[in-house]
């Protein structure tokens, strides 16, 4: 009697079958709905891309090209190679303007960041009133030109109400915008007054993302407000603070309109910031090639500072688990 031996049928593990099915599902061709969503997204993104290309990308590329030319709007651009950059390196006014700009940035960023952080913490810890937030933001709704003109009137040495108050208190009048010592700090504080509310609200938004139970647990452990600020608020606010610092530093290096309407670079070039010097070279002396070279140099400086800030502050990392 012969018994036929047969091996049991091979079976795939259930997990393997499911995995195969999952792989098959992930390899499906795009549906009409997904293709339609992609087209719709492209339609919405197109205006922004067009604006970016027309008003940012093309002017940047054009400026880089003009930085290697001699161009005055009246004649075609003449290629001069690195002549404009050599002139820039040997230009003492350029370096003086860069020093003035750095002085302005240090004062503006230092005072604005500390003040905005203090306002944001007070809004978070004491009150979250929408009315107070609106009041804090009010100066930002004013343009830089209007803010500059208003403070020019207030700080006028002879007729300004600010100096009238100082004289009424028995002190000598201060030429805030007419003295080399006072001019840069005054312009920096004018811009701090205008932008501090907006910066504070950005930091306030970051503070609102910090879980409240951390503060409650710290209070149970007996931590003071000062200790909670340094142990909880600052570490968890770091990514937002880093981004805000990057934005404000870039904006501070591009200061122009406040200087233009208050001091026009004076007295004795004491407020001749880099953007104002570039503007004078381009539209005052029609040296567009040289102005473009200085603009490219400023772009390189800002790019380097941004990368350095991003890495030092670890802006892309968060301590929130």
């Amino acid at each position: 009697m012969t018994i036929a031996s047969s091996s049991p049928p091979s079976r795939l593990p259930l997990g393997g079958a499911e995995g195969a099915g999952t792989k098959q599902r992930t390899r499906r061709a795009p549906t009409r709905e997904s293709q339609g969503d992609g087209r719709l997204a492209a339609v919405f993104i197109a205006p922004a891309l067009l604006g970016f290309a027309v008003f940012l990308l093309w002017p940047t590329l054009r400026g880089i090209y003009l930085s290697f030319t001699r161009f005055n709007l009246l004649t075609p651009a003449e290629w001069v190679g690195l002549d404009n950059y050599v002139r820039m390196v040997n230009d003492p006014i350029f370096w003086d303007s860069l020093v003035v700009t750095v002085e302005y940035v240090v004062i503006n960023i230092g005072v604005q960041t500390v003040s905005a952080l203090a306002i944001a913490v007070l809004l978070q810890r004491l009150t979250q009133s929408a009315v107070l937030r609106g009041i804090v933001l009010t100066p930002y709704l004013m343009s830089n030109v209007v803010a500059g003109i208003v403070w020019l009137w207030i700080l006028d040495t002879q007729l300004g109400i600010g100096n009238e108050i100082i004289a009424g208190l028995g002190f000598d009048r201060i030429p805030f915008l007419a003295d080399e010592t006072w001019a840069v700090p005054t312009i920096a504080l004018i811009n701090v007054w205008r932008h501090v509310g907006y910066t504070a609200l950005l930091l306030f938004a970051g503070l609102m993302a910090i879980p409240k139970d951390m503060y409650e647990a710290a209070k149970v452990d007996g931590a003071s407000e000062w200790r909670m600020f340094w142990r909880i608020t600052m570490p968890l606010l770091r990514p937002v603070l880093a981004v805000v610092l990057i934005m404000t530093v870039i904006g501070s290096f591009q200061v122009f309109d406040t200087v233009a309407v208050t001091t026009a670079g004076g007295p004795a070039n004491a407020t001749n910031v880099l953007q104002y010097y570039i503007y004078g070279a381009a539209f005052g002396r029609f040296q567009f090639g040289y102005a473009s070279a200085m603009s490219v140099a400023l772009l390189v400086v800002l790019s380097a500072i941004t990368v350095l800030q991003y890495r030092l502050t670890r802006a892309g990392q968060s301590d929130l688990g």
Side-chain angles (χ1 to χ4, degrees), residues 32 38 51 59-60 70 72 77 85-86 88 140 157 171 184 241 275:
R32 290 184 179 180
T60 301
R70 183 182 294 110
N72 60 6
Y85 291 96
V86 173
M88 180 183 66
Y140 186 73
T157 308
F171 299 100
V184 172
L241 184 60
Q275 284 279 25

Side-chain angles (χ1 to χ4, degrees), residues 19-65:
T22 304
K23 291 182 180 178
Q24 290 178 358
R25 284 195 296 271
T26 57
R27 292 177 181 175
R28 287 181 180 175
T31 62
R32 290 184 179 180
E33 293 181 359
S34 62
Q35 292 177 348
D37 292 341
R39 294 192 186 98
L40 183 61
V43 170
F44 281 111
I45 293 174
L49 288 178
L50 180 62
F52 173 80
V54 173
F55 298 107
L56 185 61
L57 182 60
W58 168 247
T60 301
L61 297 177
R62 175 71 171 168
I64 293 174
Y65 165 73

Side-chain angles (χ1 to χ4, degrees), residues 5 15 24 28 43 48 59 79 111 114 161-162 169 214 228 240-241 245 256 259 265 275 288 301 308 314 321:
S5 61
Q24 290 178 358
R28 287 181 180 175
V43 170
W79 184 267
V111 177
V114 173
I161 188 173
L169 295 175
M214 291 189 175
M228 286 190 291
V240 176
L241 184 60
L245 280 174
F256 169 78
V259 173
Q275 284 279 25
F288 287 94
V301 170
L308 185 63
R314 295 182 292 125

